[in-house]
Amino acid sequence: MTDEAPSPTTPDGDPGPANRRSRTITAGPNRAAARSYLRAAGMQDADFDKPMIGVVNTWSTVTPCNMHLDRLAKDVRAGVIAAGGWPVDFNTIVVTDGISMGSPGMKASLISREVVADSIELAVEGHQLDGVVCIVGCDKTIPAAAMALARMDIPGLVYYGGTILPGVLPTAQGDKEVSVQEVFEAIGAHSAGTLDDAGLKAVESAVCPGAGACGGQFTANTMAMALSVMGISPMGANDVPAVDPAKAAEGERCGRLIVERTLAGDNARKYITRDSLMNAAVAVSASGGSTNAVMHLTAIAAEAGVDFGVEDCHRACVEAPVICDLKPGGRFLASHLYASGGTRLVTQRMAEAGKIVDAPTVTGRSLFAEAAEAEETPGQIVVTTFNAPVMERGSYAVIYGDVAPEGAVIKLTGHKVDRFEGPACVFDSEEDAFHAVQDGSVGEGDVIIIRYEGPKGGPGMREMLQVTAALKGRKIENVALLTDGRFSGASYGFVAGHLSPEAAAGGPVALIRDGDRITIDVTNRRIDVDADLSARRAGHVAPALKPASGVFAKYRASVASAAQGAVTIPNPPPAQTPKSVAAKAHEKA
């Protein structure tokens, strides 16, 4: 190698930026030591003139969501090499919600989003890589990858490992397709005595047939679609199920595309904009997606410095009713959506209805050009139209009030309830609430409140799927559940999470007592309590927070409100502070 190798050129022949970053560690006599390490890792003279592409993987054998990602990385590497780049592999972590759900381990889940983003940044910046492909699977790795790309603003894309296929459960009426949602509901049925041990084991053994992330429009598939519509994932690549033979070609395409984007100098913030975030939020609503997307989209916006907040997510839901009949509120799974036409078809429907705007994507083509190639399977019934939606409203709403002056996110799929009023049953931990549901201490007409499970209080803001599934499994339907924690994308029922400020930050939810009358009014966007919380505050003594050490203590000390995406970056932008934008309009006279 010459010490001053010429830079690669763009397709137009002008001096290109393809290895402008990596040259700082590979070019010149002073970088001989660095080159010696890289030679040991396989690089030769000609390779030092190529863009160095990070292939960041969240592979792990602990979960079906990520256990196949090592194989997908081979395809990505092949694409990088074919396009003239040099792939460099790194690995980061995953915390699997399905395994940790309902346990203390779930506190690590949201925190892992920040750790994954941080570790991607450190590996890429530490080696001055020119571009990066992030291969992701379970829930938090998907937004974490986009957050890291937004933060670094270098050429990058996100490649999702794909959905799991449906499990098959033999029943007296014939084989039934099932997903992980059914096993959590089976736990509730088992505790109610309506499902025996053998029945529970049969469900447990059927729901996860192999590799891939949870099969409904739960958080993983919601965010995979959102990033495709945002343009930071190649349209179509995320849709292909994990074990589908077509996945190999998609991986190679991602490898080629990242080299193309690096040669073109297209940094991540070209694709992560206010317009693209709004497009993604509309897709979440139209697909009946997870409420967790509100937190993840606002976090990505914060990392990119884009003014986009929870009110924008709410507006997207007002504008986009649900047109996908997907679980947890509907009948079908992500694999069925793929077979029907996939994200392209949903995007085409949104574009034709004027719900989204055109924007660039990492394929090098515009979003509308990608949507124009949608191929709808004749006779499919998974995706409808906005003229005949599955639901007349969007999948969630952001609401305020006495209980949540900075906002809360209420799930609207799977039910038609607009107003609920009932006595509060207050619990200071998820475990206490779960046991109360299991032993029949709470029931029809109650408003279950689970507090001190927010970002700081947990710490880590656990999801409450085990509680909501237990309610459904016990056939307790006329009940509401409020929490400063989160809900899984698979949660079902009249539930509102992300209550802000959280109890641990002195939020009013900390002042509510058993028996207080709670009113939830979706139409007027209010959650209120029939009690004088101001009078209570003077004498309120907050309980000691749950002990936290290590990374949990670091997170508690630095995390922002759920209304700001629960990010840990210093001084996040206000992102349309909900109090100033919407809550004032809904203040009680």
Side-chain angles (χ1 to χ4, degrees):
M1 166 186 178
T2 61
D3 286 333
E4 295 298 334
S7 296
T9 58
T10 66
D12 295 328
D14 296 325
N19 70 338
R20 70 188 186 278
R21 285 167 51 90
S22 62
R23 283 178 63 81
T24 64
I25 61 169
T26 63
N30 293 337
R31 306 310 305 158
R35 289 194 298 273
S36 70
Y37 279 82
L38 293 168
R39 289 181 189 279
M43 294 186 78
Q44 300 178 15
D45 285 355
D47 298 323
F48 292 108
D49 295 333
K50 299 174 181 177
M52 293 180 66
I53 303 298
V55 180
V56 178
N57 206 331
T58 57
W59 167 76
S60 171
T61 59
V62 76
T63 169
C65 310
N66 296 58
M67 70 184 190
H68 61 302
L69 302 187
D70 58 333
R71 301 195 301 275
L72 301 190
K74 296 178 182 178
D75 305 317
V76 174
R77 287 195 296 271
V80 170
I81 293 168
W86 182 263
V88 178
D89 289 89
F90 292 96
N91 213 66
T92 184
I93 66 165
V94 60
V95 173
T96 305
D97 295 0
I99 295 173
S100 60
M101 192 75 68
S103 78
M106 188 61 193
K107 295 179 182 182
S109 174
L110 186 60
I111 299 174
S112 76
R113 186 190 71 175
E114 313 307 305
V115 173
V116 171
D118 291 350
S119 64
I120 293 172
E121 179 188 19
L122 290 172
V124 172
E125 294 293 352
H127 301 90
Q128 289 295 287
L129 304 181
D130 300 298
V132 59
V133 177
C134 300
I135 307 175
V136 296
C138 193
D139 294 5
K140 307 309 171 292
T141 64
I142 308 171
M147 290 164 64
L149 296 179
R151 184 187 301 176
M152 295 185 292
D153 193 27
I154 66 171
L157 63 83
V158 182
Y159 177 38
Y160 172 55
T163 184
I164 199 171
L165 294 180
V168 177
L169 179 67
T171 72
Q173 292 75 37
D175 289 347
K176 175 184 177 183
E177 289 190 339
V178 290
S179 73
V180 72
Q181 179 179 345
E182 277 77 13
V183 75
F184 283 100
E185 293 168 4
I187 293 171
H190 182 267
S191 73
T194 58
L195 185 68
D196 62 16
D197 291 347
L200 179 60
K201 186 173 182 180
V203 177
E204 169 191 331
S205 302
V207 295
C208 293
C214 297
Q217 196 67 349
F218 311 149
T219 306
N221 286 316
T222 295
M223 290 307 300
M225 176 183 285
L227 295 196
S228 297
V229 176
M230 191 186 299
I232 200 68
S233 289
M235 181 64 73
N238 290 351
D239 287 6
V240 182
V243 298
D244 194 298
K247 205 69 180 174
E250 293 297 346
E252 186 174 6
R253 178 165 73 110
C254 286
R256 290 177 180 272
L257 284 173
I258 188 55
V259 176
E260 291 178 10
R261 300 283 69 77
T262 305
L263 286 166
D266 290 347
N267 290 1
R269 293 187 191 180
K270 176 178 180 178
Y271 309 104
I272 302 174
T273 65
R274 178 170 173 79
D275 280 347
S276 73
L277 286 159
M278 280 299 303
N279 287 345
V282 170
V284 171
S285 179
S287 66
S290 169
T291 54
N292 281 316
V294 176
M295 178 175 298
H296 296 324
L297 292 177
T298 52
I300 294 167
E303 297 281 5
V306 175
D307 184 16
F308 176 90
V310 295
E311 274 299 300
D312 293 304
C313 293
H314 177 82
R315 181 163 64 88
C317 282
V318 170
E319 295 175 355
V322 177
I323 60 169
C324 297
D325 192 1
L326 297 171
K327 290 187 176 185
R331 295 175 292 170
F332 299 108
L333 297 169
S335 56
H336 301 130
L337 175 62
Y338 170 64
S340 299
T343 298
R344 265 198 181 88
L345 178 59
V346 179
T347 307
Q348 185 181 78
R349 293 279 202 269
M350 295 187 296
E352 290 173 344
K355 305 294 185 182
I356 57 175
V357 298
D358 205 5
T361 79
V362 291
T363 66
R365 308 173 68 215
S366 76
L367 182 64
F368 284 10
E370 291 287 356
E373 293 189 351
E375 296 182 5
E376 181 175 359
T377 301
Q380 68 84 20
I381 55 174
V382 178
V383 183
T384 63
T385 68
F386 287 102
N387 291 328
V390 175
M391 280 181 52
E392 295 290 342
R393 58 188 181 187
S395 61
Y396 60 86
V398 177
I399 57 180
Y400 301 89
D402 296 344
V403 180
E406 291 183 359
V409 183
I410 187 163
K411 179 168 283 195
L412 301 181
T413 51
H415 65 82
K416 297 182 179 180
V417 181
D418 285 318
R419 181 182 174 86
F420 193 98
E421 185 175 348
C425 296
V426 183
F427 303 94
D428 287 348
S429 73
E430 178 190 5
E431 286 86 354
D432 288 348
F434 179 69
H435 294 318
V437 171
Q438 294 289 74
D439 67 19
S441 299
V442 297
E444 302 290 345
D446 288 334
V447 178
I448 301 169
I449 294 179
I450 307 175
R451 62 191 180 188
Y452 294 102
E453 291 286 8
K456 291 182 182 292
M461 203 177 183
R462 288 191 286 183
E463 293 179 346
M464 306 296 162
L465 174 59
Q466 185 146 295
V467 178
T468 59
L471 287 166
K472 187 175 183 184
R474 294 181 68 89
K475 301 188 184 305
I476 301 173
E477 297 180 354
N478 184 35
V479 66
L481 199 160
L482 308 178
T483 181
D484 54 10
R486 300 180 295 127
F487 291 105
S488 165
S491 291
Y492 183 92
F494 196 61
V495 298
H498 311 193
L499 298 179
S500 299
E502 62 176 293
V509 68
L511 305 173
I512 296 175
R513 299 172 182 169
D514 285 339
D516 285 348
R517 201 78 184 168
I518 306 293
T519 302
I520 307 164
D521 186 337
V522 174
T523 302
N524 292 307
R525 301 178 64 190
R526 299 284 310 184
I527 307 179
D528 293 310
V529 56
D530 187 12
D532 188 346
L533 299 185
S534 297
R536 286 182 187 174
R537 189 173 290 282
H540 176 68
V541 178
L545 295 181
K546 306 174 185 76
S549 60
V551 68
F552 297 92
K554 291 179 184 179
Y555 183 81
R556 174 176 280 169
S558 60
V559 69
S561 165
Q564 291 181 315
V567 291
T568 57
I569 55 176
N571 302 313
Q576 299 184 344
T577 303
K579 184 67 174 176
S580 65
V581 173
K584 287 182 180 178
H586 298 279
E587 293 272 329
K588 288 194 294 187

